[in-house]
């Protein structure tokens, strides 16, 4: 915790233990109504296929927001458009009121992004990769170094700091990607499938870190297939199916008395009662 | 009861048991995958069509040439066919290394989970090669050599019969080289091997040039001798059979037939060994490189900024990613090639002043494939909102760090060996200028042109379908622009060489550097501005390639 230079309005607690309440982002304090992420009418086509068909969501500042949906619902596409990785055909995405596609540099400074399905520069060591991301976001060398050390310790990766990322397991790769998303102390974290193939202990550690981040004033959006996890971890949730928002609100509002999983199946449909073909049942 | 009745039909009945039908499935799989890839990417489709048209052009030229040869009934027909044929076979072995031609669809590693024997996979790989465009063209051209023996009907028939033998030799040879090269690239010693190979070549450059220029000179009367020698090798034996039959040398023809058949058997045997070794290695993936001793590595050398970080990362990649090292291999080879090609002109050693510019024509724009090599990892730059100019600068710095000392060393070696040290200032001026201009060009080109490149896990010699023509367009495009932009400096170098004027020699130094610096300055800015506008769209195209 030596020479951190906090970005404007960023809780200075990201890599270290949470220091709640001390740092409420001043901008948000001035405009308490400004959502961390507001997307309006986002839409994207891939050839003939409409991946995202007019999604609007408002993610309140300081919330832990879950994004759930069946495979191919458009979660990754939506998050990519919101974080400036994929140009939307229609609609806008505002990060704390800053338009991602009008002022990308300013907006991207506020977002930490763990994208799903993109490569990492995996011929770097873990330490080098985190350093790389820190320098890309414009931090100075001393800050990058101390934060990278903090992050690697926080994610139990010190032992692998000098190992090439290409030699990491899938779970370790997720963790190092998370470190890369956190290094510039963003106010909004967008995590696409952060718990995929992460072992239960690491997942619990990551959850603690995220909770600390949220209680320090940060906002987290996670997409996940695990209803259980979202139900336990998030305070808000949106259900996306076929490129549209089917339900959104606080977790209690969305599950409406039932479990999130039952509610999800009910909203999305597609369950069928079958035992599979005969040749798979007789041995 | 029901279960018992069902069991017999459950058993492997629906599975195709015969290896031949598996071969058919595998070959059609390769084409299905290729077609699907081409449908997803219009430019690769265009590239494939240009490639096919080019193939048709080659066929047409072969048809005309062979007919003319046949009608002329020249005594040199056999010699021409043996030499050209040997070069074709040799080319099959070398081309995949030069042009990234390996098709990895039938990579044994991908079939590890299927109950398919390596022998079946090998047959499928060979057959897939035979029905690819180069395979078809080689087979048809080999059969068309029958036309050249139009006055010797027996030789004509034998030439057609030898065509499959020739094709099989080509396919086996190329597969053997590919398998060995891929194994080499997969080994963790690869970059050390490439590095030492380059060092050895740079060191040998001098003695080789000095030694060979005193040796035998190529003249017309050695050509028949060369054909005679080639006919005893696996490369030329099959082509020599019809020629010897036409001469009435039955014993010679039979001996060559034995050699040709034995070559096929030997190549098949060697390839089998290499292939099985590769397949077993694929089943037990070794850790790529383990630990790194120096934690920060090149990050220490560059400023702690976005551009500096990109430079450090790129420099690491130049060493650690075998796809990069490939483009450096030609650095020591090119001056040698230049000397070899130009020595016929008997122009004197001063011509060697152009060896370094010639080499740089092929290397100075190497970074134009950088973003394609990044693949979707480029998302890191997009999501952090890296300024285009920082991206461009970082990539250029890394390459310049590496190539500038190499260029200076090669220039000094060439100058000392060829006795043209007095021209060194001019050569360095033009050379470093070309490096700067080349990076400027690559900065603009790579902001919109994406070369289809192998994935990082693939062999650096793997190819994407239809990439041949596109890579050629990209490479020659950047080369052409570099040639035009550095033309003034090259002309000045020409005058310096022609007149031997010390003033001109020293004048070329600042002029070359100045031109290079100017185009570097323009290119980095222009490319950066394009990238600022189009980075997300570039990323979307990279995701499509992947």
């Amino acid at each position: 915790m030596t020479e951190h230079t906090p970005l404007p309005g960023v809780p200075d607690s990201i890599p270290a233990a949470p220091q709640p309440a001390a740092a409420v982002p001043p901008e948000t304090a001035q405009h308490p109504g400004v959502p961390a992420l507001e997307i309006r009418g986002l839409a994207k086509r891939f050839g003939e296929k409409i991946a995202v068909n007019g999604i609007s969501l408002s993610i309140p500042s300081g919330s832990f927001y879950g994004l759930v949906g069946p495979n191919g619902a458009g979660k990754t596409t939506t998050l990519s458009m919101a974080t400036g990785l994929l140009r939307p055909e229609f609609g806008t995405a505002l990060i704390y009121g800053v338009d991602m596609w009008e002022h990308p540099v300013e907006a991207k400074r506020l977002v930490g992004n763990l994208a799903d399905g993109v490569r990492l520069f995996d011929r770097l060591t873990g330490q080098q990769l985190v350093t790389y991301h820190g320098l890309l976001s414009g931090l100075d060398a001393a800050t990058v170094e101390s934060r990278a050390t903090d992050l690697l310790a926080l994610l139990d990766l010190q032992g692998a700091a000098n190992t090439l990322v290409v030699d990491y397991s899938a779970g370790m790769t997720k963790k190092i990607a998370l470190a890369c998303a956190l290094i510039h102390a963003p106010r909004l974290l967008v995590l696409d499938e952060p718990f995929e193939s992460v072992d239960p202990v690491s997942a619990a550690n990551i959850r603690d870190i995220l909770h600390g981040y949220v209680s320090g004033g940060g906002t987290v959006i996670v997409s996940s297939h695990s209803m259980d996890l979202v139900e336990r971890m998030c305070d808000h949730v949106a259900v996306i199916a076929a490129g549209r928002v089917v339900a959104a609100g606080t977790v209690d509002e969305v599950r409406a008395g039932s479990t999130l999983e039952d509610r999800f199946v009910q909203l999305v449909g597609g369950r069928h009662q079958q035992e599979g073909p005969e040749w798979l049942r007789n041995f | 009861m029901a279960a018992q009745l069902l069991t017999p039909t459950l058993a492997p009945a629906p599975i195709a048991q015969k290896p031949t039908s598996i071969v058919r499935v595998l070959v059609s799989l390769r084409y299905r995958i290729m077609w699907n890839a081409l449908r997803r990417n219009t430019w690769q489709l265009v590239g494939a069509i240009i490639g096919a048209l080019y193939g048709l052009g080659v066929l047409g030229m072969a048809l005309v040439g062979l007919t003319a040869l046949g009608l002329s009934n020249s005594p040199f027909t056999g010699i021409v066919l043996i030499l050209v044929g040997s070069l074709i076979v040799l080319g099959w072995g070398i081309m995949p290394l030069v042009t990234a031609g390996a098709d990895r669809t039938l990579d044994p590693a991908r079939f590890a989970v299927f109950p398919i024997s390596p022998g079946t996979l090998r047959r499928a790989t060979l057959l897939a090669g035979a029905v690819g465009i180069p395979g078809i063209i080689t087979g048809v051209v080999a059969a068309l050599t029958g036309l050249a023996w139009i006055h010797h009907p027996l030789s004509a028939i034998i030439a057609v019969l030898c065509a499959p033998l020739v094709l099989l030799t080509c396919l086996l040879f190329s597969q053997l080289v590919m398998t060995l090269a891929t194994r080499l690239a997969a080994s963790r010693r690869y970059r050390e091997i490439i590095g030492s190979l380059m060092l050895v070549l740079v060191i040998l450059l001098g003695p080789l040039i000095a030694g060979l220029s005193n040796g035998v000179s190529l003249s017309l009367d050695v050509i028949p001798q060369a054909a005679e020698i080639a006919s005893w090798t696996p490369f030329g034996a099959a082509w020599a059979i019809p020629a010897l039959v036409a001469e009435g040398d039955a014993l010679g023809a039979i001996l060559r037939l034995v050699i040709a058949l034995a070559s096929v058997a030997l190549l098949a045997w060697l390839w089998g060994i290499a292939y099985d070794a590769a397949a077993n290695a694929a089943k037990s993936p070794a850790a790529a490189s383990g630990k790194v001793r120096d934690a920060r590595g090149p990050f220490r050398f560059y400023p702690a900024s976005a551009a500096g970080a990109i430079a450090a990362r790129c420099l690491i990649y130049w060493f650690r990613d075998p796809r990069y090292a490939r483009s450096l291999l030609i650095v020591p080879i090119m001056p040698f090639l230049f000397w070899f090609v130009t020595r016929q002109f008997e122009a004197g050693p001063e011509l060697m002043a152009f060896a370094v510019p010639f080499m740089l024509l092929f290397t100075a724009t190497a970074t134009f494939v950088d973003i394609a090599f990044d693949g979707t990892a480029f998302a890191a730059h997009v999501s952090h909102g890296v300024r285009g100019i920082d991206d461009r600068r970082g990539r250029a710095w890394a390459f310049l760090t590496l190539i500038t000392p190499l260029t200076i060393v090669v220039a000094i070696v060439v100058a000392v060996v060829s006795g043209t040290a007095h021209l060194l200032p001019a050569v360095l001026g033009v050379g470093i200028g070309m490096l700067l201009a080349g990076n400027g060009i690559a900065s603009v080109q790579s902001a919109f042109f994406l070369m289809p490149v192998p994935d990082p896990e693939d062999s650096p010699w793997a190819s994407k379908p239809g990439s041949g023509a596109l890579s050629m367009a990209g490479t020659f495009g950047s080369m052409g622009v570099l040639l035009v932009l550095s033309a003034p400096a090259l002309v000045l170098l020409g005058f310096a060489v022609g007149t031997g004027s010390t003033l001109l020699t020293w004048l070329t130094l600042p002029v070359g550097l100045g031109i290079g610096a100017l185009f570097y300055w323009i290119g980095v800015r222009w490319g950066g501005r394009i990238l600022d506008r189009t980075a997300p769209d570039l990323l979307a195209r990279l995701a499509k390639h992947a």
Side-chain angles (χ1 to χ4, degrees), chain B residues 482-497:
Chain B
L482 178 59
L483 194 61
V484 171
L485 296 188
S486 39
L490 285 169
V491 169
L492 203 56
L493 176 65
F495 278 118
V497 169

Side-chain angles (χ1 to χ4, degrees), chain A residues 47 70 88 98 105 123 132 134 195 207 212 231 235 254 261 273:
Chain A
V98 182
V105 176
R123 260 68 177 176
Y132 187 57
F195 297 105
R207 276 206 307 279
E231 196 167 6
D235 45 45
V254 171
E261 179 159 344
Q273 303 290 330

Side-chain angles (χ1 to χ4, degrees), chain B residues 178-436:
Chain B
M178 288 312 314
T179 309
L180 291 177
T182 308
R183 280 274 283 165
L184 181 70
S187 85
R188 70 173 72 182
R189 295 234 154 266
Y190 172 74
R191 63 195 159 99
E192 284 96 340
I193 294 170
I194 294 289
S196 6
L197 201 67
M198 278 187 47
L199 201 66
V200 169
L201 278 170
V202 171
I203 295 167
L204 285 185
L205 198 62
L208 269 176
I209 292 179
L212 276 173
S213 50
N214 297 329
V216 283
S217 60
L218 262 178
S219 62
L220 275 176
D221 42 285
V222 300
I223 286 178
Q225 216 178 324
E228 168 74 12
I229 293 168
S231 77
W232 290 101
T233 67
F235 308 112
W239 299 97
I241 299 168
L244 290 164
V245 169
E247 283 173 24
D249 182 357
L251 180 66
I254 290 168
L255 280 175
R256 300 319 194 280
L257 179 65
V258 172
I259 289 176
L261 290 173
S263 311
V264 168
L266 183 72
L267 285 170
W269 182 66
L270 287 175
W271 182 44
I273 294 174
Y275 188 92
D276 290 350
N280 289 334
K283 278 173 199 160
S284 55
S289 349
K291 295 255 175 184
V292 172
R293 252 165 294 145
D294 183 4
R296 295 185 59 211
F299 281 91
R300 272 176 307 152
F301 310 142
Y302 295 100
S305 62
I310 292 167
R313 197 270 302 166
C314 287
L315 193 65
I316 291 174
Y317 266 63
W318 274 100
F319 285 105
R320 248 179 237 159
D321 187 333
R323 297 172 303 168
Y324 284 83
R326 232 188 70 132
S327 57
L328 283 183
L329 258 185
I330 57 171
V331 167
I333 298 171
M334 278 300 166
F336 185 71
L337 194 71
F338 180 81
W339 165 80
F340 194 81
V341 170
T342 54
R343 71 200 192 101
Q344 273 100 311
F345 305 149
E346 292 169 11
E350 283 79 16
L351 200 60
M352 283 307 285
F354 288 94
V356 170
F358 178 72
M359 164 186 99
L360 292 175
L361 202 54
F362 291 88
T363 38
T365 55
T367 48
F368 82 91
V369 287
D370 249 29
I371 289 190
F373 278 165
D374 289 355
T376 50
F378 181 60
H381 294 206
V382 182
S383 73
H384 284 291
V386 173
R387 289 190 311 155
I389 188 165
D390 287 336
D391 179 288
R392 310 285 77 186
R393 273 193 188 133
R395 293 172 198 276
W397 288 351
F399 184 52
L400 287 172
T401 309
L402 199 64
I403 192 77
T404 312
L406 205 58
T407 303
I408 294 174
V409 170
V410 170
I412 293 174
V413 169
V414 169
V416 170
V417 171
S418 63
T420 55
H422 59 286
L423 293 168
L424 197 57
V427 171
L428 286 178
V430 174
I432 296 172
M434 281 176 79
L435 281 179
L436 290 169

Side-chain angles (χ1 to χ4, degrees), chain A residues 172-219:
Chain A
M172 288 162 79
T173 310
K174 278 281 181 203
K175 289 201 277 181
I176 202 74
L178 182 64
C180 293
L182 286 169
I183 182 90
H184 60 297
R187 294 173 64 183
L188 169 66
L189 257 187
V190 179
L191 311 174
D192 198 355
E193 295 288 354
F195 297 105
E196 212 177 39
S197 59
V198 174
D199 68 85
V201 176
S202 299
N205 289 345
I206 292 176
R207 276 206 307 279
D208 286 348
I209 298 164
L210 296 180
H211 278 300
Y213 172 82
V214 169
S215 60
T219 308

Side-chain angles (χ1 to χ4, degrees), chain A residues 255-272:
Chain A
R255 69 182 163 191
S258 133
T259 68
L260 189 58
E261 179 159 344
D262 288 343
R263 185 73 184 123
F264 177 83
V265 171
Q266 197 185 337
L267 284 167
V268 170
R271 268 293 275 149
H272 36 67

Side-chain angles (χ1 to χ4, degrees), chain B residues 457-474:
Chain B
E457 309 81 30
D458 273 343
S459 154
W461 287 295
S463 74
K464 298 250 162 144
S467 60
L470 262 193
S471 342
M472 249 165 8

